[in-house]
Amino acid sequence: MIQSIAQKEFVSTLRDRRFVVLSVLLLALLLAATLVGRASYRTLQQERMVAQQTVNDQFHHQPNRHPHRVAHYGSFAFRPRSGLSFLDAGLDSFTGASVYLEAHQQNSVNFSQAQQSGSLIRFGELTVAFVLQVLVPLLIIFLCFSAFTEEHETGTLKLLVSQGVPLRRVAWGKIAGYGRAVVLVVGPALALAAWLLFGEETFVHNADVWVRLALFVVSYAVYFFLWIVGAVVVSARQRHGRSALVLLLGCWMLGCIILPKATANLGATLFPTVTKAQMDADVHEAAQKGINGHDPQDQRTAALKANLLKQYGVDSEEKLPVSVGGLAMAESEAYTSKVYQQHFADLTGTYERQNAISNWVGLLNPYQAIRPLSMGLAGSDFAHYVHFQQAAEDYRYQLVQRLNGLQASMGYGDKERKLDAATWQAIPTFAYQAPPVGWALGYLLLPALALLLWAVGLSWLGLKVIDKTPVV
């Protein structure tokens, strides 16, 4: 019986001109978003690869120089985009693409697309994720709002029940039928995305991307199931299609527009972030408490020199086998790095507390559960951004300390000498390895749990409500 009702609803839906028009428009948007997103991804990825190779070549081909000059010359780390980011750009457009790596200072990631684009980007981008999260639920609402009200108005529901068909089976049949219609709209776009993704040699044997895409599809299947069940339940409890439509559109506005904005404002109010100027001032003040590697008159540098003379058993700096300046630079770098790490950790913690509010609200609002889940699986969320930032800082610190070590090994009078250009070619350049999906899932447990609780709870409670719906 469930299959018969599902087939009847599916065929009726295909004959509905409203559905045909809306689904064609939506499918066109999905296909356009997929193709545009893929083209944008390939362009940006190519640009960043070329830029990274260029700065790596420039670093390796420096002339004979003092190591500290090389440390100040620095380098850049460009963040590669993840393979699925063309489906959900997440925070990529706002978090920056590259970070300058230099001595004494940890810089933030800069040059985001939002900084270089017009104000239109603040209204959001047309991505596959935007269409799936916001527009497909609208299609489901217009598809399902009359699921039961039309049966009430034409009297066919009474006939079905009089033949011994439980309302629960009628509801499952309608859910299955509408589900097939949604798959008909969304399926081609996701199939195109998979074909584009695995058409490239880079990803065809990448199991991590396969798993991410599979979980991405499953997550949205659960999300659409929630909307279909919710729309069918609302339709069953309303006597007229108009009231069901108004109620469902109100739920859509509350869940997809009002609550996310209110939650973001609440997070920013409860956990305000420090301004860049204030953070720079705090870091500068804290860094003054460590050794100043550029000031030979610094008292802490003098103490370091005295300890070295005692350690090596000599009475003058000229007899030391190491450079006092190089070791002072290493001490200074270690201290300032800790200062920057602490302040960046505090700032990251503030952002994480703001994001946590939105994640917990996902228990009340499915849109705020699918959103972090989608970004996390696409590799474009805040956690992936912080992972890159930390990898870039680890490389910067190791690079600067290696150069400080080279300076220290030059001995007394190092400032008047330079190292051979071949020295820089032996230093490894920055190469970023994105985290695997297992690492990402650790950050996505709460939104995944929220989505599953919604699926189980709404199905159980909604169908119990439908069971008690008066037919007459």
Side-chain angles (χ1 to χ4, degrees):
M1 180 56 70
I2 291 178
Q3 289 302 320
S4 299
I5 296 173
Q7 185 64 19
K8 176 257 177 188
E9 291 296 339
F10 181 60
V11 172
S12 300
T13 299
L14 295 184
R15 291 174 179 168
D16 188 339
R17 289 185 180 179
R18 295 171 301 176
F19 171 77
V20 173
V21 172
L22 287 174
S23 60
V24 167
L25 287 174
L26 208 55
L27 181 57
L29 280 176
L30 275 173
L31 293 176
T34 304
L35 293 172
V36 172
R38 182 60 175 169
S40 172
Y41 161 80
R42 294 187 70 172
T43 301
L44 290 174
Q45 186 72 348
Q46 184 66 21
E47 287 177 354
R48 293 179 189 184
M49 287 175 63
V50 170
Q52 188 69 68
Q53 187 59 47
T54 301
V55 297
N56 289 347
D57 289 343
Q58 289 173 344
F59 184 86
H60 276 160
H61 292 89
Q62 294 180 78
N64 297 351
R65 273 181 173 166
H66 188 276
H68 200 64
R69 287 286 305 277
V70 176
H72 276 291
Y73 179 79
S75 184
F76 279 90
F78 289 85
R79 183 188 176 193
R81 295 193 66 173
S82 68
L84 287 181
S85 62
F86 75 99
L87 293 177
D88 191 339
L91 304 179
D92 280 358
S93 300
F94 304 91
T95 48
S98 63
V99 56
Y100 179 45
L101 311 173
E102 61 177 329
H104 314 313
Q105 187 164 329
Q106 179 181 350
N107 296 308
S108 56
V109 187
N110 287 314
F111 305 112
S112 67
Q113 284 179 265
Q115 287 176 316
Q116 304 170 62
S117 303
S119 57
L120 279 178
I121 199 169
R122 296 173 191 167
F123 294 94
E125 297 174 89
L126 178 63
T127 62
V128 174
F130 173 78
V131 177
L132 296 179
Q133 291 167 11
V134 178
L135 300 185
V136 171
L138 266 182
L139 173 71
I140 292 173
I141 288 173
F142 285 110
L143 180 65
C144 304
F145 78 93
S146 61
F148 272 93
T149 55
E150 196 172 67
E151 303 277 9
H152 274 298
E153 290 166 357
T154 58
T156 51
L157 185 61
K158 193 187 301 182
L159 289 176
L160 273 174
V161 174
S162 66
Q163 292 175 9
V165 181
L167 282 177
R168 180 182 290 256
R169 287 193 177 186
V170 176
W172 275 121
K174 289 180 178 294
I175 291 168
Y178 294 137
R180 293 177 190 176
V182 173
V183 170
L184 199 63
V185 177
V186 176
L190 292 178
L192 174 65
W195 180 72
L196 289 173
L197 187 62
F198 298 112
E200 290 196 7
E201 190 176 347
T202 311
F203 298 117
V204 68
H205 298 302
N206 191 332
D208 189 79
V209 177
W210 277 98
V211 174
R212 283 177 181 265
L213 181 62
L215 293 175
F216 187 87
V217 173
V218 169
S219 301
Y220 277 102
V222 176
Y223 181 62
F224 299 149
F225 172 77
L226 288 174
W227 276 102
I228 294 173
V229 172
V232 169
V233 171
V234 169
S235 179
R237 297 300 297 178
Q238 300 297 315
R239 300 296 297 180
H240 304 287
R242 186 172 50 190
S243 57
L245 180 61
V246 170
L247 183 57
L248 286 168
L249 287 176
C251 292
W252 177 83
M253 288 187 65
L254 181 67
C256 296
I257 298 175
I258 298 174
L259 268 180
K261 178 65 176 171
T263 305
N265 289 341
L266 178 65
T269 303
L270 292 178
F271 305 108
T273 54
V274 65
T275 63
K276 186 176 187 306
Q278 183 62 52
M279 182 171 165
D280 288 345
D282 292 343
V283 169
H284 179 74
E285 182 181 352
Q288 296 302 312
K289 298 175 182 175
I291 287 180
N292 184 350
H294 284 288
D295 182 8
Q297 305 303 319
D298 185 90
Q299 291 184 353
R300 288 155 295 200
T301 305
L304 174 67
K305 177 181 171 183
N307 286 335
L308 287 171
L309 293 175
K310 183 178 180 183
Q311 178 184 346
Y312 286 97
V314 295
D315 56 3
S316 68
E317 184 178 346
E318 289 83 349
K319 297 178 182 177
L320 283 174
V322 294
S323 162
V324 175
L327 292 174
M329 288 291 180
E331 289 284 332
S332 172
E333 194 63 46
Y335 184 81
T336 54
S337 179
K338 285 182 182 177
V339 171
Y340 272 102
Q341 287 279 20
Q342 183 58 51
H343 282 79
F344 270 95
D346 291 344
L347 185 62
T348 300
T350 302
Y351 286 132
E352 287 175 343
R353 285 189 286 276
Q354 291 179 358
N355 292 337
I357 292 178
S358 181
N359 287 342
W360 280 104
V361 174
L363 292 169
L364 305 174
N365 179 16
Y367 173 78
Q368 287 176 270
I370 189 65
R371 198 175 169 194
L373 202 53
S374 175
M375 288 192 294
L377 291 172
S380 57
D381 64 348
F382 184 68
H384 283 81
Y385 163 73
V386 172
H387 185 274
F388 167 78
Q389 189 180 44
Q390 188 59 54
E393 168 55 19
D394 290 345
Y395 172 79
R396 184 201 69 84
Y397 182 72
Q398 296 298 328
L399 171 66
V400 174
Q401 290 296 55
R402 181 170 182 160
L403 293 169
N404 287 334
L406 288 174
Q407 180 183 351
S409 66
M410 293 167 72
Y412 179 75
D414 66 281
K415 292 181 181 178
E416 308 303 324
R417 300 198 300 273
K418 298 177 182 178
L419 292 182
D420 187 79
T423 306
W424 324 129
Q425 296 176 11
I427 297 178
T429 53
F430 178 72
Y432 178 63
Q433 182 64 47
V437 64
W439 175 90
L441 290 177
Y443 291 89
L444 302 175
L445 287 178
L446 180 57
L449 180 64
L451 209 59
L452 289 175
L453 285 176
W454 265 99
V456 175
L458 189 60
S459 302
W460 176 75
L461 186 61
L463 292 175
K464 282 183 75 73
V465 169
I466 288 178
D467 276 340
K468 297 177 182 177
T469 299
V471 177
V472 181

